[in-house]
Amino acid sequence: MMIKRVPAVIGLILATTFVEAAGATAARALTDAATPSSAAPVHYLYASIGDFDSDVKPLLDRPDISGVQVVVPWKALEPSRGQYDFSLIDDALNHVRARGKKLFVQVQDRFFTLPARLPDYLLKDPRYSGGAAPTTNESGLGPGEPGAVAAQWNPEVRNRFQHLLKALAQRFDGRLAGVNLPETATAVDVSKDHTGYSDDAYFSAELDNMAYGAAVFKKTPFVQYVNFWPGEWNNDHDYMGRTFRFAKKHGIGLGGPDILPNRPAQMQNSYPFFHKYRGQLPLVAMAVQEPDFEYTNPETGKPYTRQEFTDFGAGYLGTNYMFWATSSPWLHRSAK
């Protein structure tokens, strides 16, 4: 299964109070969850959990690879309401551990192509108002297919998502290298939305989930990907600024789905904040995903090289972990 992508206030207060007590502990990860101490980033593979056997296993024994980040859709983890199935994560974790590697898990609640891999009850039960909002996907590479994002701004939907995070923490806290939530960039098609979406409600809901995840994962680092906020450009609503201040205060890691050195859109949104907060966050995890190889470096006019990705990720963004798409050309050459 190839991954395709482009770039309630009360709950937030309660979760924030909870995370203040747990933030210091969450920032000090133990054993498998240890944050790298070296300035150089460690390198992981990146793939959908559905591609683990075909794409990950052939590359996992490379000496320059420390582990793998797998993207797991919400539906795969909760096939029915309150009934959790973590067998895919168990299998992947057992496989990587047997080879002295580590596992990072991205819990996916948005989908850049349909259908939305969300639990059926979210999409059918009226209390969730449809459970998801339709999205229009467009990046610097052009328009994409319609997708969907879980309606986290609906308190009932968010409550179910936080139940999932709690169940994951009860089983895997301290056993995983990290857990992350996907990118903040989204473009809800408001002309077709029936969930009550607004930019402010979305922003509040995402911070609520950040706080909750960091509170329940006390040993495993918890990370929120942040790249763009809908309705904002160049921090004109202070969404980006508030995100980084919130993450620093509560010991939450941050990261993003793309390293695109010097690209203007990124340089006007999340990248300057990663640079400003270098060394002030418990962990920074950045990915080099499939579309990134299609972009050209604005300074050279040529496709980005592995060294350019790495130098910018480590030097400017302060990256601790780099997650490389299994299609990365260098992964298919012999390790030096």
Side-chain angles (χ1 to χ4, degrees):
M1 179 173 61
M2 178 62 72
I3 304 164
K4 296 181 180 179
R5 56 158 300 279
V6 297
V9 177
I10 292 177
L12 177 58
I13 293 171
L14 291 174
T16 301
T17 302
F18 186 21
V19 78
E20 285 177 349
T25 303
R28 295 191 298 270
L30 307 175
T31 59
D32 277 2
T35 301
S37 58
S38 170
V42 294
H43 300 282
Y44 275 46
L45 304 172
Y46 152 81
S48 165
I49 191 68
D51 296 327
F52 190 86
D53 288 350
S54 60
D55 295 352
V56 172
K57 286 184 177 179
L59 300 171
L60 195 55
D61 289 330
R62 289 181 61 103
D64 49 4
I65 290 297
S66 298
V68 58
Q69 180 203 39
V70 290
V71 179
V72 189
W74 185 348
K75 184 174 183 176
L77 300 172
E78 189 184 9
S80 59
R81 190 178 189 277
Q83 301 298 313
Y84 302 109
D85 181 356
F86 299 145
S87 58
L88 291 174
I89 298 177
D90 281 326
D91 290 346
L93 182 60
N94 289 337
H95 186 85
V96 300
R97 277 186 155 184
R99 285 151 183 79
K101 312 285 182 167
K102 297 179 181 180
L103 186 69
F104 219 102
V105 172
Q106 177 169 312
V107 185
Q108 195 73 6
D109 71 336
R110 60 205 60 209
F111 306 93
F112 299 95
T113 57
L114 298 174
R117 274 79 74 195
L118 297 170
D120 289 340
Y121 75 86
L122 282 180
L123 305 176
K124 297 177 180 179
D125 191 323
R127 82 180 81 175
Y128 304 109
S129 303
T135 58
T136 59
N137 299 317
E138 186 167 351
S139 72
L141 297 172
E145 300 177 46
V149 59
Q152 298 281 5
W153 49 93
N154 179 318
E156 295 287 346
V157 173
R158 191 165 69 255
N159 176 267
R160 294 310 313 162
F161 189 69
Q162 292 181 2
H163 272 78
L164 170 63
L165 294 179
K166 182 178 180 180
L168 279 166
Q170 289 172 341
R171 187 174 185 90
F172 294 108
D173 192 24
R175 300 172 61 202
L176 298 173
V179 172
N180 75 282
L181 301 185
E183 65 188 84
T184 53
T186 194
V188 169
D189 187 344
V190 293
S191 68
K192 299 178 181 178
D193 176 51
H194 301 288
T195 65
Y197 172 86
S198 74
D199 294 339
D200 282 344
Y202 174 74
F203 175 76
S204 295
E206 295 298 283
L207 258 62
D208 192 9
N209 284 336
M210 283 172 59
Y212 189 86
V216 294
F217 282 96
K218 296 179 173 61
K219 298 179 181 178
T220 290
F222 192 80
V223 176
Q224 171 70 59
Y225 273 5
V226 55
N227 49 351
F228 302 91
W229 283 108
E232 172 175 272
W233 195 259
N234 201 19
N235 199 40
D236 59 7
H237 287 63
D238 198 30
Y239 290 154
M240 198 66 71
R242 281 183 277 170
T243 302
F244 277 78
R245 293 193 297 271
F246 188 84
K248 177 183 176 180
K249 180 178 179 179
H250 299 300
I252 303 169
L254 295 177
D258 305 290
I259 297 177
L260 293 170
N262 304 311
R263 189 159 183 84
Q266 281 74 14
M267 293 300 294
Q268 293 180 65
N269 287 280
S270 62
Y271 283 5
F273 286 89
F274 280 108
H275 186 67
K276 176 181 177 180
Y277 282 82
R278 287 181 73 228
Q280 300 181 54
L281 300 171
L283 185 148
V284 172
M286 301 292 296
V288 181
Q289 297 186 1
E290 293 88 350
D292 299 346
F293 297 101
E294 301 179 43
Y295 286 92
T296 56
N297 188 330
E299 293 191 348
T300 67
K302 299 178 180 179
Y304 291 110
T305 66
R306 175 190 177 187
Q307 196 63 49
E308 287 170 340
F309 285 130
T310 302
D311 289 349
F312 189 81
Y316 186 82
L317 301 175
T319 303
N320 306 115
Y321 285 87
M322 290 186 67
F323 304 135
W324 295 88
T326 54
S327 60
S328 303
W330 67 269
L331 289 171
H332 300 275
R333 299 190 289 266
S334 297
K336 295 181 180 179

